[in-house]
Amino acid sequence: ETLQRIVSTLASKNDEIHNFIDMLNETIKNVQVNSSNAISELDEEFDGLFSVLDEMKGSMTSTIQQEEAHKIQTLQVKL
């Protein structure tokens, strides 16, 4: 009878361990999915920011070039 209780206890603990392992595996999957989603969102955010910065660079470059042309033209008129 004592041996039966020990075996029963061990079987119960084995089930608990397997349930815990299953829970950990599910948690790992959730962490992986959440991490992947976070990286995707971060990529989208940085792509958007890069696009805005690239547009600003184009606009500022154009402004500088126009100002350069205007100043050169003004100086050439004075010659």
Side-chain angles (χ1 to χ4, degrees), residues 23-76:
M23 184 186 72
L24 288 177
N25 283 329
E26 188 64 29
T27 301
I28 288 169
K29 281 189 241 175
N30 288 338
V31 167
Q32 289 171 330
V33 167
N34 290 341
S35 295
S36 179
N37 289 342
I39 289 170
S40 293
E41 290 174 12
L42 187 64
D43 283 343
E44 289 177 21
E45 186 69 25
F46 272 94
D47 287 346
L49 289 171
F50 180 78
S51 177
V52 168
L53 286 173
D54 197 42
E55 287 176 25
M56 288 177 66
K57 176 187 172 187
S59 174
M60 293 174 83
T61 299
S62 176
T63 300
I64 291 169
Q65 289 170 340
Q66 289 173 6
E67 187 175 325
E68 175 190 29
H70 176 70
K71 286 180 180 181
I72 289 172
Q73 183 181 11
T74 301
L75 291 170
Q76 286 175 341

